[in-house]
Amino acid sequence: MHKRVLVTGGAGFIGSHLCERLLARGDEVLCVDNFFTGTRANVAHLLGHPMFELMRHDVTFPLYVEVDEIYNLACPASPIHYQFDPVQTTKTSVHGAINMLGLAKRVRAKILQASTSEVYGDPGVHPQPEGYWGNVNPIGPRSCYDEGKRCAETLFFDYWRQHRVRIKVARIFNTYGPRMHPNDGRVVSNFIVQALKGEPITIYGEGLQTRSFCFVDDLVEGLMRLMATEDAVTGPVNLGNPGEFTMLQLAEAVIELTGSASQLQFLPLPQDDPRQRQPDIAKAAAELGWAPTVPLREGLKRTIDYFDALLSAGRAQAIAAD
């Protein structure tokens, strides 16, 4: 029997891919988004689907619907977007979590929180296991997102302990793929767009800081597997690709795959930028039977094709203005 599933932030990069997968499985999907960073273009191809519904709504306000499962993905996730209105970013994480948990409690739905590797801050442990409490600056320019997500996790576990709400918490590491926002300021989209335009590729610091890049299809599979687990499995569970690459290595791969003549441009390192980020995914392997399968070069090719088509059609400007 199909489920009625609510996806907040469903018109965003990850959310739109999740909506697709849920529909393909036969579920009824209610996609909720306020279109701050999500775009209608991401779900335009789903609007004619008889099991898909799109609702404009901000999760900082209560929502009254009947659903079986909730994926709470609503929150700007790139520094450029979450620092644009930091107070609203914190409200989205905290008030949004309270409202969605309240909904889950009322209708007895299972609810998954899309948390983030940013809860680990600039980690003193490498790679980062779920038991590591993190090294986060509570008053820095990234705090609206980092601490907002940490507080959301607190709320989820308190609702679980106090009200027995069935929760799942996923800590998402760097994810990339088609439908990333072209101006989101994240490294994969930055490098690809700059390379395709023949502009200098901007690298912060010496480019030796590392990240781990998970292709969006792998990430969505992990989210759905986590939601499908028994109630005793709450997380938090790291979801990401443990392959670790420096910014220089990523830039070189993008230049090679695009055939670009772009040169590297080195800029000062932003405040509180983590030096290392790599997930320990032993828990995901053990509890979900999950591991990423898409190699970085293959995922980059598919992402480059998306941005190439976007730029060729002049749609990047339209999306940026949406």
Side-chain angles (χ1 to χ4, degrees), residues 13-14 17-18 20-21 172-180 188 192 212-223 239-243 245 279 290-307:
F13 159 49
I14 294 173
H17 286 274
L18 176 60
E20 274 183 344
R21 284 288 304 277
I172 298 172
F173 283 68
N174 287 55
T175 303
Y176 70 101
R179 299 189 206 132
M180 292 185 82
V188 172
I192 291 175
S212 303
F213 301 103
C214 184
F215 191 66
V216 64
D217 290 359
D218 284 333
L219 187 278
V220 167
E221 175 69 22
L223 292 175
L239 293 178
N241 193 320
F245 298 89
W290 177 87
T293 60
V294 180
L296 181 64
R297 289 179 66 87
E298 180 186 333
L300 284 176
K301 287 177 185 175
R302 290 162 68 178
T303 310
I304 288 165
D305 288 345
Y306 167 78
F307 278 114

Side-chain angles (χ1 to χ4, degrees), residues 186-242:
R186 285 188 274 194
V187 64
V188 172
S189 50
N190 266 7
F191 285 6
I192 291 175
V193 170
Q194 288 168 343
L196 289 172
K197 289 182 173 180
E199 298 172 351
I201 291 182
T202 51
I203 292 181
Y204 295 97
E206 297 178 354
L208 300 180
Q209 65 271 41
T210 65
R211 295 291 185 273
S212 303
F213 301 103
C214 184
F215 191 66
V216 64
D217 290 359
D218 284 333
L219 187 278
V220 167
E221 175 69 22
L223 292 175
M224 292 175 66
R225 288 194 186 200
L226 177 56
M227 182 65 96
T229 54
E230 297 296 323
D231 290 353
V233 179
T234 59
V237 176
N238 288 338
L239 293 178
N241 193 320

Side-chain angles (χ1 to χ4, degrees), residues 42-259:
N42 285 341
V43 292
H45 62 296
L46 303 178
L47 292 175
H49 196 292
M51 303 286 273
F52 181 77
E53 182 181 354
L54 176 62
M55 177 190 296
R56 183 174 190 136
H57 180 81
D58 188 322
V59 295
T60 61
F61 297 93
L63 182 63
Y64 300 97
V65 293
E66 298 295 324
V67 292
D68 304 305
E69 294 180 348
I70 302 167
Y71 288 85
N72 187 35
L73 274 60
C75 190
S78 74
I80 283 178
H81 290 145
Y82 67 63
Q83 291 172 3
F84 175 77
D85 188 346
V87 171
Q88 185 63 26
T89 295
T90 303
K91 283 183 177 180
T92 300
S93 286
V94 178
H95 292 185
I98 291 169
N99 287 330
M100 291 306 107
L101 284 161
L103 173 61
K105 180 187 171 190
R106 283 194 302 275
V107 302
R108 302 180 185 277
K110 191 160 37 170
I111 181 168
L112 183 147
Q113 167 68 6
S115 190
T116 172
S117 60
E118 299 294 340
V119 301
Y120 299 123
D122 189 3
V125 172
H126 191 74
Q128 293 82 56
E130 289 86 351
Y132 175 55
W133 289 356
N135 175 36
V136 176
N137 176 0
I139 59 170
R142 301 171 70 103
S143 307
C144 58
Y145 185 69
D146 302 2
E147 295 288 33
K149 289 288 192 178
R150 285 163 70 95
C151 185
E153 287 197 16
T154 300
L155 286 161
F156 265 68
F157 278 89
D158 283 336
Y159 266 77
W160 172 63
R161 285 184 285 257
Q162 187 173 339
H163 301 298
R164 307 314 298 172
V165 172
R166 295 179 294 156
I167 66 161
K168 311 289 178 184
V169 175
R171 289 179 177 163
I172 298 172
F173 283 68
N174 287 55
T175 303
Y176 70 101
R179 299 189 206 132
M180 292 185 82
H181 198 291
N183 299 329
D184 71 0
R186 285 188 274 194
V187 64
V188 172
S189 50
N190 266 7
F191 285 6
I192 291 175
V193 170
Q194 288 168 343
L196 289 172
K197 289 182 173 180
E199 298 172 351
I201 291 182
T202 51
I203 292 181
Y204 295 97
E206 297 178 354
L208 300 180
Q209 65 271 41
T210 65
R211 295 291 185 273
S212 303
F213 301 103
C214 184
F215 191 66
V216 64
D217 290 359
D218 284 333
L219 187 278
V220 167
E221 175 69 22
L223 292 175
M224 292 175 66
R225 288 194 186 200
L226 177 56
M227 182 65 96
T229 54
E230 297 296 323
D231 290 353
V233 179
T234 59
V237 176
N238 288 338
L239 293 178
N241 193 320
E244 189 179 12
F245 298 89
T246 67
M247 297 301 94
L248 284 174
Q249 288 173 320
L250 179 67
E252 289 163 359
V254 168
I255 287 171
E256 179 193 341
L257 291 171
T258 56

Side-chain angles (χ1 to χ4, degrees), residues 248-275:
L248 284 174
Q249 288 173 320
L250 179 67
E252 289 163 359
V254 168
I255 287 171
E256 179 193 341
L257 291 171
T258 56
S260 175
S262 293
Q263 302 296 307
L264 303 183
Q265 180 182 27
F266 293 87
L267 299 175
L269 202 62
Q271 183 181 338
D272 300 331
D273 192 54
R275 294 160 296 169

